[in-house]
Amino acid sequence: MSEQRRLDVLRAIVQDYVATSEPVGSKALLDRHQLGVSAATIRNDMAALEEEGLISAPHTSAGRVPTDAGYRRFVDQLGHMKPLSRSERVAIETFLQQAVDLDDIVDRTVRLLSSLTHQVAVMQYPSIGTATVRHIELVSLADTKVMVVLIMSTGRVEQRVLTIAHTADQLLSLRDVVNQAAEGRTRAHAADRLDAWAEQRRAGAKPDSHPDDSTPTSVGVIRDFLAEEREERVVMAGTSHLVRSGQDFPETIGPVLDALEEHVVLLRLLQQMEGDDVYVRIGGENAIDGFRTASIVSAPYTAGGIGVLGPTRMDYLTTIAAVRAVARYVSEILEQ
């Protein structure tokens, strides 16, 4: 029995079932695909695929549907990359480049990905832990009030009014100190460097190239701001697509919807990727119980993860291509 022919039959079954949601029989395969063999041969191939656990009969009809293992074999061995058309690539790039700020980039990304794949799209907000400080600006509001403007490498901008006694010259010196310590470093690393600077000053040692008029107290206030814990966020769009696919879940869609409500769960989902390319988890491969009847296609971008979630009866080729392309464009925009 030809292994390649059997895989061709599996590919045809996956493609037809994804397109029609109906179990696929040998006659339908003969009618729709140029397999070059008899109906009896196809039935034998289908029997072998069923014995391997790659397809199964949902009921007593002659049709078969892919199992989780069958989808996995399709993705790993048969799912040749389906490239996006030039018009699709241009549309993605144009839509994302029209964003006015970081929040708009994230919102546009999940809406775009959901629209392209007809699935639920999820995106980890640019990670605070891995982002680096681009610049810190200090703006005097009063003799003892300073607005600190923190600009991160992801484009995220934070503002905070802090109590810092200062003169104009002292504020300029303080800005030089904090930027020398922070620029190009994560918030945590920058906070550690400011700690070390303040400790040197308290010990009476003057660090090279640092001005005399910045005090450990002022540096400490900004250090505390940088060291504050920030909650990681996940943004989602397209839940309605999942609800419309409710019939594709074996029992109920409830556990999937419940899991989607838990942002900690979604963060775990996006952080479980392996390597730098698209990562596909199908049905029971998911460690999160609520997603064991779903498939997840995810990819890393500059400062986090992005992906889609839907039923195992998913158009994997289109979804993988869309997730990869959108993740790449988001990375390019954030790095500008």
Side-chain angles (χ1 to χ4, degrees), residues 192-210:
D192 290 343
R193 285 176 60 87
L194 289 175
D195 259 342
W197 184 92
E199 199 58 42
Q200 283 183 297
R201 289 299 298 270
R202 292 190 188 98
K206 175 185 173 184
D208 292 341
S209 76
H210 288 299

Side-chain angles (χ1 to χ4, degrees), residues 316-335:
Y316 290 97
L317 304 190
T318 297
T319 301
I320 290 170
V323 170
R324 175 181 283 131
V326 171
R328 179 167 62 84
Y329 282 121
V330 170
S331 294
E332 291 176 357
I333 289 171
L334 291 177
E335 291 170 357

Side-chain angles (χ1 to χ4, degrees), residues 43 158 162 172 316:
R43 285 194 293 271
E158 293 184 41
L162 302 177
L172 289 173
Y316 290 97

Side-chain angles (χ1 to χ4, degrees), residues 27-41:
K27 184 178 185 305
L29 292 177
L30 279 176
D31 292 342
R32 296 172 186 161
H33 303 274
Q34 301 297 321
L35 296 174
V37 294
S38 67
T41 299

Side-chain angles (χ1 to χ4, degrees), residues 39 165 221 255-256 268 289 333:
V221 172
V256 180
R268 284 174 53 199
D289 288 339
I333 289 171

Side-chain angles (χ1 to χ4, degrees), residues 36-319:
V37 294
S38 67
T41 299
I42 290 179
R43 285 194 293 271
N44 288 337
D45 287 340
M46 292 176 71
L49 291 170
E50 188 168 10
E51 188 173 333
E52 287 184 59
L54 301 179
I55 61 174
S56 66
H59 41 73
T60 56
S61 75
R64 299 294 185 269
V65 301
T67 63
D68 288 357
Y71 284 124
R72 170 51 63 190
R73 181 74 64 87
F74 172 78
V75 170
D76 288 348
Q77 296 188 18
L78 305 173
H80 304 298
M81 180 52 56
K82 176 183 177 181
L84 297 179
S85 67
R86 184 178 183 280
S87 61
E88 288 173 323
R89 296 195 303 271
V90 170
I92 291 172
E93 187 174 11
T94 301
F95 182 71
L96 293 179
Q97 286 184 338
Q98 290 172 347
V100 296
D101 56 25
L102 182 60
D103 290 336
D104 196 20
I105 290 174
V106 174
D107 179 65
R108 283 171 176 265
T109 297
V110 291
R111 288 192 289 117
L112 173 66
L113 194 53
S114 177
S115 175
L116 289 171
T117 63
H118 305 292
Q119 309 291 353
V120 179
V122 292
M123 179 177 179
Q124 180 183 359
Y125 209 89
S127 177
I128 297 161
T130 59
T132 57
V133 175
R134 185 174 293 169
H135 185 69
I136 298 174
E137 189 57 57
L138 306 179
V139 180
S140 177
L141 301 179
D143 291 344
T144 59
K145 296 295 181 182
V146 172
M147 176 182 288
V148 179
V149 182
L150 173 64
I151 305 171
M152 302 299 292
S153 60
T154 58
R156 184 187 183 104
V157 177
E158 293 184 41
Q159 298 179 354
R160 180 73 61 82
V161 177
L162 302 177
T163 300
I164 299 174
H166 63 279
T167 65
D169 288 342
Q170 288 173 335
L171 196 62
L172 289 173
S173 297
L174 180 59
R175 183 184 63 183
D176 291 343
V177 169
V178 297
N179 276 296
Q180 185 170 338
E183 286 182 355
R185 298 178 176 86
T186 64
R187 292 176 67 132
H189 190 191
D192 290 343
R193 285 176 60 87
L194 289 175
D195 259 342
W197 184 92
E199 199 58 42
Q200 283 183 297
R201 289 299 298 270
R202 292 190 188 98
K206 175 185 173 184
D208 292 341
S209 76
H210 288 299
D212 293 328
D213 56 355
S214 294
T215 67
T217 300
S218 300
V219 168
V221 172
I222 296 176
R223 177 264 171 213
D224 291 342
F225 167 57
L226 291 173
E228 288 178 2
E229 291 291 331
R230 294 291 193 279
E231 182 182 2
E232 297 281 5
R233 294 169 52 194
V234 173
V235 181
M236 179 171 57
T239 307
S240 59
H241 290 305
L242 193 65
V243 174
R244 285 195 288 269
S245 301
Q247 74 277 4
D248 286 317
F249 293 88
E251 295 179 2
T252 173
I253 198 174
V256 180
L257 294 174
D258 289 343
L260 283 173
E261 290 294 322
E262 299 292 334
H263 278 205
V264 172
V265 169
L266 291 178
L267 277 171
R268 284 174 53 199
L269 180 158
L270 293 173
Q271 292 169 351
Q272 288 173 350
M273 290 178 287
E274 299 175 356
D276 298 327
D277 201 3
V278 177
Y279 186 40
V280 181
R281 282 155 293 180
I282 299 169
E285 296 173 353
N286 289 296
I288 299 168
D289 288 339
F291 296 143
R292 285 188 167 276
T293 58
S295 285
I296 299 161
V297 179
S298 57
Y301 73 96
T302 297
I306 184 173
V308 300
L309 179 143
T312 54
R313 191 182 71 85
M314 176 187 290
D315 183 350
Y316 290 97
L317 304 190
T318 297
T319 301

